[in-house]
Amino acid sequence: MKKIISLVLVLTVVLIFAGCESAESVSDNEDGLQAVSDLSVKAKEYTDVLFDEMLKEQGITDYDITSANYGFITDDPIVFFVGYEYSVNGSDSIYGYKLTINDGLMFEVAEEGPSIGEFAMEGA
């Protein structure tokens, strides 16, 4: 209980010193973050297909995705990332995609490979 009261006090002090945004501004930011979050789900769906196709091109049809992680970085432009940990015949591997959105509002692969997968899986 003391931790909760302390947390509330700390948050109150932070808000006082940092200033508060207007309710409309906060709402716009939340709407924007929700839209980008929704796009990161679409990015994952997009790369699910790319990942399956890439493995099929390598002759791999029997694999298990053991873990996946996705998200975005609020850069300019916004960057989406998706990482996969997967297993083929008992051998574990990692692969990932870094995506941007092009002028046609379509996902575009900026980079891909194991190092992107490692970055995407950090903290998963």
Side-chain angles (χ1 to χ4, degrees):
M1 186 67 169
K2 288 182 181 181
K3 288 182 181 182
I4 293 172
I5 292 171
S6 297
L7 181 61
V8 169
L9 288 174
V10 169
L11 288 174
T12 303
V13 170
V14 168
L15 290 174
I16 289 170
F17 285 113
C20 295
E21 297 181 50
S22 70
E24 183 176 306
S25 168
V26 170
S27 177
D28 289 345
N29 287 342
E30 289 174 356
D31 290 345
L33 283 174
Q34 184 60 54
V36 175
S37 181
D38 292 346
L39 278 174
S40 68
V41 173
K42 297 291 184 193
K44 164 83 169 54
E45 293 170 355
Y46 175 72
T47 60
D48 284 349
V49 174
L50 294 178
F51 184 69
D52 185 64
E53 289 174 354
M54 184 262 309
L55 290 176
K56 283 182 181 173
E57 286 176 7
Q58 295 177 13
I60 300 169
T61 56
D62 187 21
Y63 63 92
D64 292 312
I65 296 174
T66 55
S67 183
N69 194 33
Y70 60 93
F72 60 92
I73 300 171
T74 55
D75 206 353
D76 188 20
I78 294 174
V79 175
F80 298 89
F81 58 87
V82 182
Y84 300 92
E85 289 179 348
Y86 64 102
S87 178
V88 177
N89 297 324
S91 178
D92 295 334
S93 297
I94 193 165
Y95 200 83
Y97 297 88
K98 177 179 175 182
L99 307 169
T100 57
I101 296 180
N102 64 23
D103 293 337
L105 301 178
M106 302 293 290
F107 288 116
E108 192 170 90
V109 176
E111 291 181 60
E112 64 181 285
S115 63
I116 302 299
E118 289 173 13
F119 171 79
M121 296 306 294
E122 284 180 13

